[in-house]
Every structure is written in structure tokens, then in C-alpha cells.
Amino acid sequence: MKNQATLFLKTLALSILISTVVPRLANAQESTTVKILPQPGYYNMQIGDLPVTVLSDGTNPLDMAQLLLNAKPGELKSGFAESFLSTTVESSDNEFLIRTDGKLILVDAGSGDLLGASFGQLTKSLQNAGVQPEQIDAVLLTHLHPDHVGGLMRNGKMVFPNATIYIAKAESDFWLIPEALKNAPAAYKPFFEYAQNAALPYAKAGKLKAFKSGDVLFPGITALGSAGHTAGHTSYVIESNGDKLLILGDLIHAQAVQFADPGIAIGYDSDPKEAVSTRRRVFDDAVKGKYLVAGSHLSFPGVGHIKANGNGYLWIPVNYSTIVPK
Ligand SMILES: [Zn+2]
């Protein structure tokens, strides 16, 4: 476990370092196909009786050639080129708002101020969708990486002062116990500090609940353990009236290549081998069940279906029809 944690932190530190020095879109081929312009940052849909809004925390350029593991020679360049992309892609950070039982439930909190100015837009997107942070009743966390917890706190204040945060016990045990920070090598302490600074103020206020896989957290929302990316990584099943959406969390990062070759892992995975087998297990079930899935880092809004395709999968994004309110 300690070795895995060390490897993970080493790659995470390296990755974040690399991602911050990649020139924004300067050399990216995708600029020839679409110029990205500002968006409102939210997307409304409905799962059975439950309104679900996908929210954007923004995007950030990531050099996937530096981050992805296990790819065959030439596989990344040709895989991204197939999608009219270079290996430096503008990566989405998506969060989800679910209305159930009269409550407003958020899945993940975005980056806050931790990862640069192009991220940290969740609060703005939420307000654009007509919801104030104070109205949020619960924040369900997929895991405690900075792009998922950073937005819990800003300027020393709780961003969601009336919310209880929900974390899988395995995840809180890994990141939040005092020994975790004490035992972490000096270079990697910041990542434990990010997690603790974000979550512990809620814990101290009696607003942290731990859960285990299979727990029904709210009507229509069930936790599904999907460890590998982190020790207690959790996906969330949203079900209502025969409709189903599985919020994957970080089971996939590079849609242009990891559907076709799910054996490709990413340096952010704390246990790349387990991450790969979890991806296959969860994706196989989604293929069989034909239900919708959504990913934190699939291109916003990151919602669609998965089909089997040879040894891998095919990603079919939903038809993004737009109904303009009268
Ligand atoms: Zn992430």
C-alpha cells in the first residue's frame, strides 16, 4: 500500500507539474477543428423523476503522452489523431447536481483555487444554473484528489456551509487520518494537505459522513465502490422510474484512447492494475445494462452510453438536444 501510494503521489506530482507547463492550445491540433469559447457551464437532464444537472468546473490542457501508461508504441498519437486531437487535450472537470427528496445533492466539488484559473468555475456554473452554494444539502465525493475536493473550501471558508460531505470509509482512512499526512514523504505531503484542508473543516463541524459500497445515501442514489484510481474511489448509481445513470467518477480520463484500449492506465491511478480491471468490470456492466454513464473527465457534459467494440469499447455521447425555455 505504501509503495502504491508513493508511486501514485510521484506520478501525480509529476503530472501536475507537467500539466502546468504545457502551453495552452498553442501546439494543439484540435484548434484547427473547433475554437472553444465561453459556455454557461451547465447541462440539464432528467433521470426518471430526478432532475440532474451536469456542471462544469472548467477545462485544463493535459499532455496525455506524459500521463498515460501501458500504451503500445505509436498508439497514443494515432488514437488521438483519429479524434482530430493532438496528445495535449483540453480536459473537462465535471460535477453533477441531483434533486431528490426535496434536497440538492452535489457529486464532487471541483478544484477551487488549487489547480489554476481555468478550473475552479463550479460555483459560477452552479449559480448560472440557478442554485446558490448555500442551498446544497450534501456533497458526495468520488475521491479526494484536488480536482474533486478543492472546491469545498475557499479563503478558509466552507463553500457549502449547509452541506454534509459523504466520503467512502476506505477513502477517508487513506487521506484523512493524521498518520497519513505524517507518514507521507515530504514531496507528496501537499496532496494529503489538499485533501485534509478541504474535508477536515466539515468533519470538525460534524458534517462528514463515511459510507460503504452498496449504501443507499439518498432516495435514488446508491454508492458503488470502484477502487483502483484511489483506495476508496466510488461511483454513484442514480436510479428513478426505470431510468439509470452511473456517475463513473475517474474511471476514465482520455476518452480518445481508453475506450478503444481500456488497458491504458493514467499516472493518477494509485493502483493502475486495479484501475484497469475496475474499468473493465464497470464498463462491461454498463454495456450489458445499456444504461447511461457520466464521467468527471469525459468531454462536458460527459454523458453517454458504452458499447462493446472488439477488446475494448465504443463511446456514444448522448444527443445534446437543447430545449430553450419559453
Ligand atoms: Zn479527477
Side-chain angles (χ1 to χ4, degrees):
M1 181 56 125
K2 207 177 162 202
N3 283 345
Q4 280 172 10
T6 306
L7 172 71
F8 150 67
L9 287 165
K10 205 180 277 178
T11 48
L12 182 64
L14 180 71
S15 310
I16 286 175
L17 189 70
I18 289 165
S19 70
T20 55
V21 297
V22 170
R24 289 183 59 84
L25 283 177
N27 58 355
Q29 287 162 15
E30 69 255 48
S31 59
T32 60
T33 55
V34 63
K35 189 169 163 60
I36 301 168
L37 295 173
Q39 309 289 336
Y42 68 94
Y43 183 81
N44 291 321
M45 55 192 286
Q46 182 119 351
I47 301 297
D49 298 330
L50 306 183
V52 174
T53 301
V54 187
L55 300 159
S56 175
D57 193 49
T59 66
N60 205 27
L62 288 182
D63 185 356
M64 290 295 180
Q66 301 285 338
L67 293 172
L68 297 175
L69 313 171
N70 309 337
K72 299 170 201 84
E75 186 182 7
L76 296 183
K77 204 159 182 260
S78 64
F80 283 103
E82 281 285 315
S83 296
F84 296 90
L85 297 170
S86 73
T87 55
T88 298
V89 291
E90 199 65 26
S91 178
S92 291
D93 189 2
N94 306 325
E95 293 72 39
F96 304 87
L97 176 72
I98 304 134
R99 292 166 166 89
T100 178
D101 201 27
K103 293 188 167 65
L104 291 170
I105 317 291
L106 196 59
V107 174
D108 281 337
S111 312
D113 297 322
L114 298 183
L115 298 177
S118 62
F119 274 165
Q121 310 300 321
L122 172 64
T123 304
K124 204 185 284 172
S125 297
L126 189 66
Q127 287 168 331
N128 286 351
V131 175
Q132 298 304 319
E134 299 76 28
Q135 292 176 265
I136 299 294
D137 296 291
V139 183
L140 316 183
L141 295 161
T142 58
H143 60 299
L144 301 191
H145 281 171
D147 52 323
H148 299 259
V149 296
L152 286 174
M153 297 289 294
R154 247 176 171 160
N155 303 320
K157 287 207 175 95
M158 288 182 193
V159 173
F160 307 103
N162 299 310
T164 296
I165 62 171
Y166 287 70
I167 305 176
K169 185 165 185 312
E171 190 73 359
S172 63
D173 284 353
F174 183 88
W175 294 102
L176 299 184
I177 54 171
E179 296 78 48
L181 177 59
K182 212 165 65 191
N183 296 338
Y188 314 132
K189 282 187 196 293
F191 301 100
F192 285 86
E193 282 168 353
Y194 288 152
Q196 298 198 355
N197 290 343
L200 290 183
Y202 289 82
K204 278 179 195 136
K207 289 163 170 282
L208 189 155
K209 277 195 183 161
F211 62 82
K212 58 182 191 321
S213 179
D215 286 357
V216 177
L217 303 178
F218 291 93
I221 306 180
T222 306
L224 174 74
S226 49
H229 181 61
T230 61
H233 186 277
T234 299
S235 305
Y236 294 98
V237 182
I238 316 300
E239 264 176 316
S240 170
N241 243 340
D243 282 356
K244 177 170 170 177
L245 167 72
L246 177 66
I247 297 175
L248 299 167
D250 276 19
L251 293 194
I252 184 158
H253 294 78
Q255 67 195 66
V257 295
Q258 284 181 295
F259 281 112
D261 183 353
I264 294 177
I266 193 160
Y268 301 127
D269 293 332
S270 64
D271 183 340
K273 218 170 141 194
E274 192 185 9
V276 166
S277 70
T278 298
R279 175 160 46 249
R280 280 199 179 276
R281 172 170 51 81
V282 174
F283 282 15
D284 284 347
D285 192 71
V287 169
K288 223 169 62 192
K290 297 183 175 163
Y291 49 80
L292 282 172
V293 303
S296 301
H297 303 302
L298 295 171
S299 278
F300 181 84
V303 182
H305 289 93
I306 300 176
K307 286 174 88 168
N309 181 32
N311 286 330
Y313 306 91
L314 205 59
W315 172 236
I316 318 281
V318 290
N319 180 11
Y320 303 131
S321 305
T322 301
I323 300 167
V324 180
K326 290 193 174 77

